[in-house]
Amino acid sequence: ISLETIEDEYNAMDEDTFRRDRLGEWDDDGADTVIPLVPWEQAADEGLTLVHDLVVAIDTSPNRSTTSVVLAGLTADRKKRGIRLVARGGGTDWVMPLVRKIVHENDGVRAVVIDSASPASSMIEILQQRFQVRVTTLQTRHMAMACGQAYDGFVNGDYKHDGSTEMTAAMLGSAKRDLQDSWGLSRKRAEVDISAFVAGVLALYGVALKKVERPKIGER
């Protein structure tokens, strides 16, 4: 191949395409994911067991077609914080009975968290009044802190996830949205359902949150 041909290709292609097609450089898969791909893969644990400081989080896609329920907590040795996808399905009707069942059958659940600005916020009043489950509502500032903690936790090897395809697909499909000097997760910019990952990030944050609403009505 002549130098002139290579020059013509360079002028006709964007730099990334030229580097891939002519120079043989691999794409940097995962370079733009909200959590770097290598530490995310290393954090996968299909046998993940969560024992202490359990938190349930709920998130719903913007079109309300899919909702995810995620459990977070500490491992038995209290050295790792992790997330496990409990359920993911269409709509929201099935969510509230499930959450009530989890809370009332497991005394280790310290909080149920929902982002007050999310589509899932419509379930807050129903959960509290009809299903007798108190909800800890999170604000935009909490989302920013939750995302920062999740990034650091996975990169530093302190956080684990269940390795499910749904959780990984949600992480890979997530996009950032600017929040002044920090960032949150953009449901609207995502091309796939990211409710599992959003719920996971919120649940992880709730594990260390000092002030929460005890979920069982009658508890303090």
Side-chain angles (χ1 to χ4, degrees):
I1 300 175
S2 68
L3 180 61
E4 290 76 11
T5 299
I6 296 175
E7 288 177 343
D8 289 342
E9 290 178 337
Y10 180 79
N11 292 327
M13 300 177 184
D14 61 73
E15 184 173 347
D16 289 340
T17 302
F18 178 80
R19 287 180 175 275
R20 181 178 62 248
D21 291 357
R22 178 51 58 208
L23 302 184
E25 294 184 5
W26 290 85
D27 285 337
D28 187 8
D29 291 337
D32 295 327
T33 56
V34 293
I35 305 296
L37 194 55
V38 171
W40 176 264
E41 292 176 340
Q42 293 173 340
D45 182 358
E46 294 182 3
L48 180 64
T49 301
L50 305 173
V51 179
H52 308 289
D53 298 335
L54 302 179
V55 172
V56 176
I58 307 166
D59 192 67
T60 301
S61 60
N63 62 5
R64 309 189 67 78
S65 64
T66 309
T67 300
S68 294
V69 178
V70 172
L71 181 72
L74 299 175
T75 54
D77 59 7
R78 295 182 181 273
K79 292 182 178 180
K80 301 287 185 180
R81 199 183 301 183
I83 47 175
R84 179 166 57 83
L85 179 62
V86 176
R88 175 175 174 268
T92 60
D93 288 348
W94 58 273
V95 176
M96 291 167 282
L98 174 62
V99 171
R100 185 185 190 281
K101 185 173 186 289
I102 294 172
V103 167
H104 284 266
E105 291 183 356
N106 194 330
D107 291 333
V109 177
R110 68 187 298 265
V112 172
V113 300
I114 295 177
D115 178 3
S116 62
S118 77
S121 63
S122 63
M123 288 182 271
I124 294 174
E125 184 176 350
I126 301 172
L127 272 168
Q128 295 184 148
Q129 294 187 3
R130 187 186 306 172
F131 291 90
Q132 298 292 289
V133 174
R134 289 195 189 94
V135 176
T136 298
T137 56
L138 303 181
Q139 312 299 323
T140 300
R141 70 180 188 279
H142 297 130
M143 170 63 85
M145 289 186 284
C147 289
Q149 288 183 11
Y151 182 94
D152 293 342
F154 283 113
V155 168
N156 296 332
D158 297 324
Y159 286 5
K160 308 286 285 183
H161 63 86
D162 61 5
S164 65
T165 56
E166 294 91 345
M167 185 67 74
T168 294
M171 190 286 290
L172 293 174
S174 295
K176 296 179 181 180
R177 62 185 176 97
D178 291 334
L179 298 173
Q180 294 183 346
D181 294 331
S182 56
W183 55 273
L185 295 172
S186 174
R187 298 175 182 86
K188 291 182 178 179
R189 288 182 57 198
E191 296 182 357
V192 298
D193 170 49
I194 64 169
S195 61
F197 182 62
V198 176
V201 168
L202 297 175
L204 286 166
Y205 178 75
V207 172
L209 194 60
K210 291 183 179 180
K211 187 176 181 180
V212 297
E213 295 285 345
R214 300 300 295 183
K216 284 187 182 179
I217 299 296
E219 284 187 343
R220 298 194 176 191

